[in-house]
Structures are given as C-alpha cells and as structure tokens.
Amino acid sequence: MKKIFAFCAVAFVAAAMFVSCGKTEKDALTVKFNKEQWTAEQVLGNQVGEVLGMEAYETNYNDAACASVFGTLGTATGTYNNYLFYYSENAGDTTAEGLLKWNVDSHSQEITAIDLAAHTIDAEVVETLKQDGKDDADLKITMNNASWTVDTQVLVKGMAKRR
C-alpha cells in the first residue's frame, strides 16, 4: 500500500513539472497586462526603414471588443529604449478627446532574434503604463518565434489610434 502512495506521489510531481502557469507559448506573441494574459490570434507587421511596426490582437482586427497592443520595434537584435508599445483594452478604450487612456511611463525592449524575410521575432517588451486616477499597470509582451503577416497599413493604423 505504501508503494502505491509513493508511486502516486512521484506521478503527481512529474505531472506538475509539465504544467506551468503563465508559460509563454512557442511560436506566439503573448501579452501580459497586469494580471491578465492572452496570446495573440492575429499579428500584423510592416517594416519601414529601420523600424518594424507591429499590431497584435487578442482575436482579430475587426473585433471591436478585443484587446490589442501596437507599437514599434528595431529591426536588428539588441536592446532598445526608443521604441514604444501601446495597450488598448478594446476599440472604446480612449478618452473623450479620442486619445488612448494608458500612457507609457517607462519602457525597454530586447530583441534576441529577428528574421525580417521570414517575418519571425524573439523579443521581450517591458513597460509601465500610467492612467490618471488609476494605479500603474505593467505591460509585458513576449514574442517567442512569433510571426507576423505583412500589412502595409500597420504604421498608419497605429498612428490613428494614438490621436
């Protein structure tokens, strides 16, 4: 009887090692905004010179209720602090003036691998966002061999959201 319990305990520990809360998926772009986390179903990108514009949607661009992130990245491996990402909970996540509610306070990006021809990237974006009357929010975007679909309107759409 003791052996059955020991065997079950070993099996339970082994099974627990395969399960991880908040684990980042391979071949995916994962967004963690405070305690919420989602994996993008649609990722769009567009390279213009030395800038890669990117938009990622929890579901898809046409779903006004889905969360999204959009911003810019460098086009080579390295650490960057001159590019930003913005977070939007849904299409109505703006002020009365039409501006995004969350403003970037601090930010950094680390690109560890990027293939502009194959449209894949390994990177991490870490930011602190502020909104009047609310506690700061942490935004972490993890790109683990994430791929994007080229969309030549990406930077144009992102600029329209910021206004």
Side-chain angles (χ1 to χ4, degrees), residues 150-162:
V150 175
D151 183 338
T152 58
Q153 296 298 307
V154 164
L155 292 174
V156 175
K157 287 185 232 173
M159 290 300 291
K161 286 183 184 179
R162 284 181 244 169

Side-chain angles (χ1 to χ4, degrees), residues 6-32:
F7 177 78
C8 289
V10 169
F12 179 77
V13 170
M17 292 174 70
F18 288 104
V19 178
S20 174
C21 295
K23 182 179 176 186
T24 304
E25 296 181 38
K26 183 146 177 65
D27 302 330
L29 185 147
T30 305
V31 176
K32 185 173 183 186

Side-chain angles (χ1 to χ4, degrees), residues 42-127:
Q42 183 179 34
V43 181
L44 306 173
N46 182 26
Q47 179 188 354
V48 177
E50 299 298 314
V51 177
L52 174 62
M54 190 172 279
E55 297 177 8
Y57 299 90
E58 186 176 11
T59 55
N60 70 62
Y61 179 76
N62 295 317
D63 182 358
C66 84
S68 65
V69 291
F70 61 94
T72 53
L73 297 152
T75 56
T77 59
T79 302
Y80 297 90
N81 61 6
N82 53 333
Y83 297 115
L84 303 174
F85 263 79
Y86 297 88
Y87 176 83
S88 179
E89 189 173 352
N90 56 52
D93 197 15
T94 58
T95 64
E97 296 81 26
L99 302 171
L100 287 173
K101 291 181 180 177
W102 291 101
N103 297 303
V104 179
D105 185 48
S106 66
H107 54 93
S108 68
Q109 296 180 5
E110 176 81 26
I111 300 174
T112 54
I114 187 166
D115 186 335
L116 296 170
H119 306 129
T120 59
I121 187 169
D122 287 341
E124 184 173 88
V125 175
V126 177
E127 296 182 346

